[in-house]
Amino acid sequence: MEARKDRRMKMPPHVLSYVRRLGRLPAYVYDLPGLRAHAEAIRNALRAPSAAGGPELYYAAKANADAPILRVLDPFVDGIEISSGGELVHVRRTLPHARLAFGGPGKTDQELRLALDLNVDRIHVESPHELHRIAALDRPAGILLRANLPFATSGAALSMSGPFGMDEDALETCAKLVSERPWLRLHGIHAHLASGLHAPAMLDLASRILDWALPWLRDRCGITEPEVNVGGGMAVDYTAPDTLFDWRSYAEGLASLTPPGVRLRIEPGRAVTAYHGWYVTDVLDVKNTRGDTYVVLRGGTHHLRTPVTKGHDQPFVALSATGAAADPTQRATLVGQLCTPKDVFARDVPVPPLEPGDVVAFAMAGAYAWNISHHDFLMHPKPDFHYIDD
């Protein structure tokens, strides 16, 4: 297979060489050397001298918790954020010594006991009721209270309000409860309020969180060395795959906002792993219906739900089964095999002349892709999984 020229995305040579040798499709292909270099670059940016040490970096496992991914990231992160008992068991088995933070609403009693059994470093408490249940376990627990603060943020892809975190009254209730339970230790505040923001907006939001959290923790709770977790949500632009979040300016900005004695923490997920996964499949049919061209691919959004979830065209590279290469000369909609008009990877995009047997590799499939998809709809075969680590 030879890479067709594509204005939207380029495939690294070592990935292209691997993809050429693939047999069964569809398949996920993860570029571990690329991920390793990306994670190291993030770590270096956060630890740059101008960032004065930088924030602690926890990886949000919900983005992609595959064991090879976690093992690549382990040397570059301070811990892992997990959001279920299943993630907890999996991550603890994969990385036995990792520091873990347990977030998410709706934790069960079984999950809370498991968190203490498996030495979770922090539990992000979502409600007074959840805190009462932790207290009833009568065991030492380190906690952050998750705050749902009334800060409007323009341009956010998601606003994490509603069931996430607590308002000021509920936070006061929790502070009082902690003060009466000496086996519970309140370390600080967790406030992941929005996702899909670039560095300037992220810094503005972090500034407002710190301006609220630090006086409350010190004056109301008597915490002299507080922790503040401002979450993740760093922007990933699927229309511009070469545009990365500005980690250096973000770290420098956070350093200027963070007073001495404050431990700041961030929890990125998508912005860490999205760029180093590919969903590779092949063309089954090309058809024209009422003036529109549709390229029907093996698989579908039951394997790669990201474009449907985010409402974008997934970037891709077209490969030829014959070795011929061509520029995009027409427009087409790339769809899967599912019996729904929502099974769309990319709508009305420039494509080269495609025919059955040609291969399409969707980029930026390393986060919220396979793991967020509805795998069993129509019971099609599941993809294979490949981890390049040469």
Side-chain angles (χ1 to χ4, degrees), residues 32-82:
L32 299 187
L35 176 60
R36 188 175 291 110
H38 181 53
E40 184 175 18
I42 293 173
R43 180 73 176 194
N44 290 342
L46 296 178
R47 295 293 185 267
S50 55
E56 288 188 344
L57 173 62
Y58 273 50
Y59 170 65
K62 64 179 70 67
N64 188 331
D66 288 6
I69 302 280
L70 293 174
R71 285 192 285 266
V72 165
L73 296 178
D74 185 44
F76 306 107
V77 300
D78 297 294
I80 306 291
E81 186 264 339
I82 50 93

